[in-house]
Amino acid sequence: MSAGGIRKWRHAVTPTSAEQMSQIHAILESLDHGLKASDDNRRAAARMAVRMGLVATILGGPILAPVRIYSRNLSRSGIAFLSRRLFHPDEKMAIAFHLEGQPPKLVLAQLTFSRYVRPALYESGARFLDAIPDRGDLERIPAEWRVIA
C-alpha cells in the first residue's frame, strides 16, 4: 500500500484461479459461435471479475501498435480494462488471449468508453466484434480487421 491507502498499480493484477480460467474458456469458446449485436450494448451478458495482463494491438493507424492492458472484468460481449493510454470511442483493437491450456485466441474489439482514473491511468471498455484462433506470428491480424478500423 502506498501513502493514503491506495494500492500500487503493480500489485493490482492477481493470479487467475482454475474456476476463473474455466469461465474465461467458456467466454472465449462462445466467441467461436458468433457474437450478438446489441444497439446499446450495455453488457447484457453477466460480467466476471478477472484481473490479468493482456496485449492489445491498436488498429487503424499507419503501424500496428501493441499496448499492455489489464483486465477488470470480462463477459461474452466485452471487456473492461485499465491502461496507461487514453482510447477514443469507436477505436478498434485486437486483443490476444493466451491462456495456459487453452488455444490462443485473437479478439477484435471496439472501444465504447475511456475515462481518466488518475495520472497515467485510464479505465476503458470495449465490445467484442469477432474472434479467430491466434497464430502468434506478425501477420496474424486479418487484413479485413485493419481495413474496418
Side-chain angles (χ1 to χ4, degrees):
M1 294 284 212
S2 65
I6 297 173
R7 181 185 290 176
K8 288 187 177 180
W9 171 243
R10 69 176 179 268
H11 298 295
V13 177
T14 57
T16 307
S17 71
E19 181 181 339
Q20 286 178 321
M21 288 299 291
S22 175
Q23 292 172 339
I24 293 168
H25 174 69
I27 288 169
L28 293 175
E29 193 172 84
S30 76
L31 295 175
D32 290 333
H33 303 295
L35 300 162
K36 280 187 168 177
S38 171
D39 290 337
D40 65 355
N41 197 19
R42 297 294 299 167
R43 299 282 290 278
R47 299 174 195 205
M48 179 182 62
V50 176
R51 310 288 194 264
M52 65 180 167
L54 300 164
V55 175
T57 303
I58 308 306
L59 306 173
I63 60 168
L64 297 176
V67 174
R68 189 83 167 146
I69 64 173
Y70 300 89
S71 68
R72 293 193 64 235
N73 62 61
L74 183 68
S75 75
R76 294 178 193 277
S77 62
I79 186 171
F81 60 89
L82 297 171
S83 173
R84 293 184 165 272
R85 182 186 189 277
L86 176 65
F87 292 91
H88 303 286
D90 297 327
E91 197 169 13
K92 294 200 175 59
M93 63 172 59
I95 304 171
F97 286 90
H98 291 211
L99 307 171
E100 188 175 323
Q102 305 298 325
K105 181 127 353 241
L106 195 61
V107 179
L108 176 63
Q110 180 178 16
L111 273 291
T112 57
F113 76 91
S114 192
R115 64 178 155 243
Y116 173 85
V117 175
R118 63 179 190 226
L121 188 62
Y122 300 90
E123 178 183 28
S124 301
R127 67 184 178 106
F128 296 144
L129 302 175
D130 197 4
I132 59 171
D134 188 358
R135 297 187 327 247
D137 61 22
L138 294 174
E139 296 299 320
R140 70 185 199 242
I141 297 174
E144 59 270 19
W145 286 14
R146 297 177 196 197
V147 171
I148 63 171

